[in-house]
Amino acid sequence: MLVIVGFIIVIGSVLGGYIMHHGQIGVLIQVSEFIIIGGAALGAMLMGNPLPAVKATFQRAFALAKGNPFTQKAYSELLTFLYEVFALAKKDGLLALEKHVESPHESELFKKYPTLAHNHHAVSFFADTVKVLLSGAIEAHHLGEMLEVDIEQHAEEALVASHVLARTSDAMPGFGIVAAVLGVVVTMGAIGGAAAEIGEKVGAALVGTFLGILLAYGVLSPLSQACEGQAKAETAYLVCLKVALIAFANGEPPMTAVEFARRSIEPGVRISFTELELLLKEQKGK
């Protein structure tokens, strides 16, 4: 929501100030300038990045409108899920989790926690780790290294959209200059015409520079920062899972493992220990 609000403020402030100076909005509607700048930016994006990265960039940019899903409520749900899973494993043995991690999207346990269930990366991260523990293929003290590698790879993938937008943002002022220069070329071809006609063409050329700078610093650069923040939030969510899984693998009781996970959450979205206890009591009472 803040992304949309910020975009409205940027555009509203620029156009509002322009109108206050008695500017005409119609003068800014130069379709040819949009085609030059937008087409050049899209073409450069396609040349410099693989198609999956371009698709991910658009998907992540549009997903920003939904807001950050990793809220305090999402983490509360995650901690409750972890406690239930670890308590089940302690009571019935680790094998009790096998049916859930083999088909997590069909598991009634995962379906109880929709925020987690809809997070493909987190579900795979958790399920694959439990499968490794079930197989006995790795010792507990090596588990942390394996999970860290997984998180690093995911973090790099999640930041691709931010990097693509940042590089495109850096190029936008240059594309604006290209559009302006082409406008000047057209203007020079009409240099013998009426002053009003020449002025109109010069104004159209300057719109190209205006658009390039505005899109760079008012749209694409903030979107890049927002995508980066979203990627870091995704990574932090996985880190919370990692901390809990390592504590569980080291033989800690369910409550202790969950407390380790709670302490790893950023203070801004972390619930208190008292709130966690109340949450788990309510869960047990259901």
Side-chain angles (χ1 to χ4, degrees):
M1 182 58 70
L2 287 178
V3 172
I4 297 175
V5 172
F7 177 79
I8 292 173
I9 291 174
V10 168
I11 301 301
S13 298
V14 171
L15 295 182
Y18 174 70
I19 293 172
M20 289 174 66
H21 279 289
H22 307 291
Q24 300 296 319
I25 294 295
V27 176
L28 300 179
I29 303 175
Q30 301 293 335
V31 178
S32 60
E33 303 293 317
F34 280 101
I35 292 175
I36 293 171
I37 296 172
L42 179 60
M45 189 184 294
L46 290 171
M47 284 191 291
N49 303 279
L51 188 58
V54 176
K55 289 181 178 179
T57 299
F58 282 101
Q59 289 172 351
R60 284 187 174 273
F62 285 115
L64 291 173
K66 300 177 182 179
N68 183 7
F70 304 102
T71 59
Q72 188 176 84
K73 180 180 178 181
Y75 275 107
S76 298
E77 180 184 295
L78 178 63
L79 295 177
T80 307
F81 165 80
L82 290 171
Y83 181 82
E84 182 172 354
V85 168
F86 295 158
L88 177 63
K90 183 180 179 181
K91 178 183 176 183
D92 300 331
L94 195 58
L95 285 174
L97 303 181
E98 185 174 15
K99 64 179 181 179
H100 297 291
V101 297
E102 287 295 339
S103 301
H105 297 293
E106 299 175 6
S107 167
E108 293 299 324
L109 179 58
F110 279 90
K111 289 179 180 178
K112 289 169 59 178
Y113 304 94
T115 304
L116 172 64
H118 293 150
N119 189 325
H120 171 73
H121 290 291
V123 170
S124 297
F125 182 81
F126 180 84
D128 290 347
T129 304
V130 173
K131 289 176 188 177
V132 170
L133 293 175
L134 282 166
S135 68
I138 188 170
E139 297 180 12
H141 63 277
H142 289 313
L143 182 64
E145 298 176 13
M146 184 185 70
L147 296 183
E148 191 62 35
V149 169
D150 196 341
I151 289 175
E152 287 178 2
Q153 291 299 317
H154 173 75
E156 289 184 11
E157 181 185 1
L159 285 170
V160 165
S162 175
H163 294 159
V164 171
L165 287 171
R167 289 192 293 266
T168 306
S169 172
D170 291 341
M172 290 305 290
F175 292 138
I177 293 174
V178 169
V181 170
L182 292 176
V184 171
V185 171
V186 173
T187 302
M188 295 305 291
I191 199 68
E197 181 185 354
I198 295 174
E200 182 180 337
K201 293 184 182 300
V202 170
L206 292 175
V207 167
T209 304
F210 159 74
L211 287 175
I213 296 173
L214 177 62
L215 291 174
Y217 301 112
V219 179
L220 294 180
S221 182
L223 282 179
S224 172
Q225 296 174 30
C227 284
E228 181 180 354
Q230 194 82 301
K232 289 181 177 179
E234 288 181 16
T235 301
Y237 192 80
L238 294 181
V239 168
C240 181
L241 274 171
K242 181 195 78 170
V243 171
L245 286 165
I246 291 174
F248 172 69
N250 287 328
E252 299 292 347
M255 190 62 194
T256 304
V258 171
E259 176 60 12
F260 269 110
R262 187 188 72 84
R263 296 293 180 96
S264 72
I265 301 171
E266 293 182 2
V269 290
R270 181 199 301 168
I271 62 174
S272 67
F273 182 77
T274 301
E275 289 174 322
L276 175 60
E277 283 187 315
L278 291 173
L279 194 65
L280 296 181
K281 285 180 181 178
E282 290 177 3
Q283 182 66 20
K284 290 177 182 177
K286 291 181 180 180

